[in-house]
């Protein structure tokens, strides 16, 4: 019979593969970075306008990075007059491009440093945060424990795993395999922290989902196959707006990857969340907006 650790490696690999389904291709990463800079995204000379007085910080998901996760949404926001910046976090030694795998509390500290950099460059007092998947949940640690609430006006989570995920039930198998959770935690702590019931999520959600002074928006899809059950993405608390994509457009079939990477209906709702005073109804026709 195989040793336990060797037998458990396929399970860990399966968890990794499920998370990796949320990642776009990275072959053109270098060219994409140049395009981003040329288009005004991650331009530290950008100064927020009176219409959009806060810079927007984009926070990628697990296995994502600051360019590939935002090839559609960043230009969507910059053309609408926002100063847009994107952060890399959660890097593991020897693992290029695929980020968001380190301990999430350490990733939140990286976000804190990046927000300070953006605020110093733009002269703004506060930023707005938009995150996909882990990137929609991790900033809550920054807001709650690292002083972020004083520097952030709004957090928009697109398919965020706010209360963890079972990966369509797969994570529920971990307790039946002695050592599996330890193996996952050692290799990829950022994944282990996202399993429903983890110590990280227990601490994050203890005492309430939100902190005062920050507006929260969650945009979810019922076809999410990564953050499951999808309703666990929703937040409870004051100044929370939970949105189901299919309530806005019933024929929108976007799943976990598409809602963050290319769904212009979701993007329209992101724009509404960033500027509620000028919000317009999000419908199926928003794909053309």
């Amino acid at each position: 019979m195989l040793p336990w650790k060797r037998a458990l490696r396929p399970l860990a690999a399966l968890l990794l593969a499920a998370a990796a389904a949320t990642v776009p291709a990275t072959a053109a990463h270098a060219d994409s970075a140049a395009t981003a800079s040329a288009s005004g995204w991650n331009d530290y000379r950008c100064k927020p306008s009176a219409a959009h007085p806060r810079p927007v910080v984009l926070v990628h998901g697990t296995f994502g990075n600051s360019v590939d996760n935002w090839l559609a949404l960043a230009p969507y926001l910059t053309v609408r007059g926002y100063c847009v910046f994107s952060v890399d976090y959660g890097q593991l030694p020897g693992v290029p491009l695929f980020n968001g795998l380190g301990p999430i509390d350490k990733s939140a500290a990286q976000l804190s440093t990046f927000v300070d950099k953006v605020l110093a460059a733009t002269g703004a007092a506060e930023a707005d945060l938009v995150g996909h998947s882990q990137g929609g949940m991790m900033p809550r640690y920054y807001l709650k424990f690292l002083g972020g609430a004083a520097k952030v006006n709004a957090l928009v989570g697109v398919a965020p795993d706010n209360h963890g995920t079972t990966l369509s039930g797969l994570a529920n198998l971990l307790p039946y395999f002695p050592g599996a959770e330890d193996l996952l935690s050692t290799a990829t702590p950022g994944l282990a922290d996202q399993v429903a019931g983890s110590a990280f999520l227990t601490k994050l959600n203890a005492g309430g989902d939100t902190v005062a002074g920050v507006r929260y928006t969650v945009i979810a899809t019922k076809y999410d196959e990564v953050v499951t059950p999808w309703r666990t993405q929703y937040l409870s608390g004051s100044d929370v707006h939970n949105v189901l994509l299919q309530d806005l457009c019933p024929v929108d079939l976007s799943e976990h990857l598409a809602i963050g990477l290319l769904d212009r209906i979701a993007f329209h709702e992101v724009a509404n969340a960033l500027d509620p005073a000028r919000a317009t109804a999000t419908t199926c026709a928003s794909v053309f907006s």
Side-chain angles (χ1 to χ4, degrees):
M1 188 172 182
L2 290 171
W4 271 112
K5 272 198 173 181
R6 190 173 167 195
L8 289 169
R9 289 190 186 279
L11 177 60
L14 191 54
L15 285 168
L16 289 169
T22 70
V23 186
T26 58
H29 181 86
D31 290 342
S32 298
T35 300
S37 178
S39 69
W41 161 28
N42 281 332
D43 179 358
Y44 285 87
R45 299 167 299 175
C46 187
K47 300 299 180 184
S49 65
H52 301 303
R54 292 175 298 275
V56 177
V57 174
L58 303 178
V59 190
H60 64 74
T62 307
F63 282 92
N65 60 61
S66 63
V67 175
D68 295 341
N69 214 131
W70 306 117
L71 293 174
L73 181 57
Y76 182 95
L77 294 175
T78 57
V79 77
R80 284 161 175 77
Y82 289 92
C83 291
V84 179
F85 303 86
S86 55
V87 61
D88 278 307
Y89 70 88
Q91 301 91 334
L92 290 181
V95 182
L97 301 181
F98 298 101
N99 301 333
L101 299 174
I104 298 182
D105 58 345
K106 301 299 189 296
S107 294
Q110 290 179 280
L111 174 62
S112 176
T113 299
F114 187 81
V115 170
D116 286 348
K117 177 182 176 180
V118 168
L119 293 180
T122 60
E126 292 182 311
D128 289 327
L129 307 181
V130 178
H132 178 217
S133 193
Q134 180 189 163
M137 173 271 289
M138 175 271 280
R140 293 178 49 228
Y141 191 95
Y142 162 56
L143 299 177
K144 195 169 187 178
F145 298 111
L146 302 180
K151 303 174 183 180
V152 172
N153 169 71
L155 170 61
V156 184
V158 181
D161 50 347
N162 281 315
H163 298 94
T165 177
T166 68
L167 286 174
S168 298
L170 184 60
N172 292 332
L173 297 175
L174 288 173
Y176 295 98
F177 294 88
E181 292 181 82
D182 290 340
L183 179 62
L184 190 63
S185 298
T186 301
T188 53
L191 288 181
D193 285 346
Q194 295 177 76
V195 174
S198 71
F200 172 82
L201 287 167
T202 298
K203 176 181 179 180
L204 177 63
N205 293 314
D209 292 346
T210 64
V211 295
V214 178
R215 292 188 294 105
Y216 296 82
T217 300
V218 173
I219 305 171
T221 171
K222 68 180 180 181
Y223 300 112
D224 199 313
E225 77 287 20
V226 175
V227 181
T228 57
W230 66 263
R231 286 181 178 84
T232 61
Q233 298 175 30
Y234 284 176
L235 294 172
S236 298
S238 60
D239 220 350
V240 170
H241 182 46
N242 293 314
V243 181
L244 180 64
L245 191 60
Q246 285 71 36
D247 286 342
L248 306 176
C249 177
V251 297
D252 193 322
L253 303 180
S254 289
E255 39 63 70
H256 186 81
L257 178 62
I259 190 177
L261 299 187
L262 50 84
D263 192 312
R264 290 178 66 91
I265 297 170
F267 293 177
H268 188 272
E269 195 63 14
V270 168
N272 280 347
L274 293 175
D275 191 0
R278 297 179 178 85
T280 57
T282 301
T283 67
C284 295
S286 298
V287 71
F288 303 109
S289 65

